[in-house]
Amino acid sequence: MRIVSTFVSLFLSLGFLACKPSDTVSPETLTGVWIESSARKDTLIFNPLYQGTPLPNTLRVDRGKELNSSGSLLPKIGSGLYQYELQGDTILVQSLFSSSLKRTGYRIELQGGKLKLENFFELGFNQPATATRTLVRL
């Protein structure tokens, strides 16, 4: 009986150790270039440099370019600059190209060097999240 309880304790301990807690998400831990891990087409740059100085609480989304209906090559929807604010496990974003002052919240988590972020950029600013994307630091 004692061996059974020892094994149960051991398995429970291993289970708790296997569950990694999320790292603290802060502007400092986010600063830099992150790329979406599966398709590797969307790039997010937190606190990008402008003339050698980081722009605090600014996020640049680079999604590539596409042809529009008139044949012009333009940045994909959702590309651009955003102002962001972190509140716990939520990132509030506001497009700097929009006249709207509305900020929309999306879930964000940093775990084991991977950033999990609800996709606010695929459909354009101020839309419901389409999925959660995993990004890795470049």
Side-chain angles (χ1 to χ4, degrees), residues 53-72:
T53 304
L55 296 173
N57 298 97
T58 303
L59 165 63
R60 189 172 90 209
V61 177
D62 292 332
R63 302 201 63 233
K65 297 184 185 221
E66 63 187 355
L67 291 173
N68 68 4
S69 59
S70 65
S72 299

Side-chain angles (χ1 to χ4, degrees), residues 1 11 21 25 30-31 33-34 41 43 53 60 82 94 131:
M1 193 66 176
F11 284 121
V25 179
L30 291 177
T31 296
V33 180
W34 297 81
K41 293 185 178 181
T43 304
T53 304
R60 189 172 90 209
Y82 296 83
Q94 175 188 0

Side-chain angles (χ1 to χ4, degrees), residues 80-112:
L81 289 173
Y82 296 83
Q83 194 76 38
Y84 76 90
E85 179 183 343
L86 297 170
Q87 290 184 352
D89 64 352
T90 301
I91 184 170
L92 300 168
V93 295
Q94 175 188 0
S95 174
L96 293 178
F97 297 142
S98 173
S99 60
S100 171
L101 296 177
K102 183 176 182 184
R103 297 182 307 166
T104 305
Y106 301 92
R107 186 161 170 67
I108 187 170
E109 179 183 5
L110 184 60
Q111 188 173 28

Side-chain angles (χ1 to χ4, degrees), residues 18-40:
C19 297
K20 295 179 181 176
S22 295
D23 299 327
T24 302
V25 179
S26 69
E28 293 77 28
T29 59
L30 291 177
T31 296
V33 180
W34 297 81
I35 188 165
E36 197 273 326
S37 64
S38 62
R40 301 187 69 84

